[in-house]
Amino acid sequence: MKKILKNTVFIILFSILVLSTGLSAYLCFSIASNRNLSGEWTAELDMTEQAVVTALDWLQDMEAVSVSVQDMEAHMQGLTITLNLKLQQTSRSAGTFVSGIVPESYTACSQAAYEAFAAAFRELVAERLHMAGYDGDTSEEAVEALITETFGMPTVSYLLSCEPDLLPSLEDLQAQYDSSGTYQTSDGILTRQSDSGSLLRAKSERYIRKDSTLILTEEADPAALGYFTDDYPMIYTLQQSNELQSPF
């Protein structure tokens, strides 16, 4: 009986030891993996709010028609620009980085913004025609034809020619986000030091790395002044990992 009890206790203790060892190994690997930021990351800059506000301001000048933020938001949704961030760890807590706006995503976002703006504009033109007693066809295609005939160009081209930019210029965004240099990590803070011609010289941000997600939560220095501070939290998704190339 004593022998059976002794064997049972031994098995239980041995099982606990094996589980503890495995858990410790997993935690060590997980922590080390999450500490290593090497890889190609992408984030999406949401331009929807700026496009909505700019378009709304212009449309509200149209006589005798009303339009609300909700009306514009119904047309303009998911207007984003892709930002790439490539990190390569060179030591336990430091490495190099390259960050930049993807120009093709800017072009696509701008096109989508103006097409949505044009749709809202055509609806308001149709409403204004009804109010003026026009009894002709006010379908989307018919209104587009009227606008093209009146202004000598399609709605999107007309709005591009007379409307303030719905988005920041590509050059302004590149000046803010395009950068390269070195980085350091310490106590949950990622500090990037730019050696390029960007407006970004040194920037410290609190970060959280969990598996394939990297979240920059806020400026580490509350007194720091910069551009586009409403971007936080900035959520990056890992596209390609370089961890196998790094001994750290």
Side-chain angles (χ1 to χ4, degrees), residues 98-144:
V98 178
S99 175
I101 295 291
V102 178
E104 294 81 3
S105 72
Y106 178 89
T107 301
C109 182
S110 179
Q111 182 67 26
Y114 277 99
E115 288 177 356
F117 186 24
F121 181 70
R122 284 191 293 265
E123 286 186 5
L124 292 179
V125 169
E127 181 181 343
R128 186 69 182 88
L129 289 171
H130 283 305
M131 295 174 65
Y134 180 75
D135 58 1
D137 186 3
T138 55
S139 65
E140 181 177 347
E141 295 77 11
V143 172
E144 176 66 28

Side-chain angles (χ1 to χ4, degrees), residues 18-46:
V18 170
L19 288 173
S20 298
T21 302
L23 180 59
S24 297
Y26 169 79
L27 290 175
C28 288
F29 175 80
S30 178
I31 292 172
S33 176
N34 286 334
R35 184 187 299 122
N36 185 355
L37 302 182
S38 290
E40 295 182 12
W41 304 82
T42 62
E44 300 297 328
L45 302 176
D46 194 343

Side-chain angles (χ1 to χ4, degrees), residues 213-230:
T213 302
L214 175 65
I215 305 175
L216 304 181
T217 60
E218 62 180 352
E219 289 270 11
D221 180 5
L225 296 177
Y227 298 89
F228 305 102
T229 54
D230 290 339

Side-chain angles (χ1 to χ4, degrees), residues 40-44 85 212-214 235-240:
E40 295 182 12
W41 304 82
T42 62
E44 300 297 328
L85 174 63
S212 60
T213 302
L214 175 65
I235 302 175
Y236 286 87
T237 301
L238 183 63
Q239 302 300 314
Q240 178 179 340

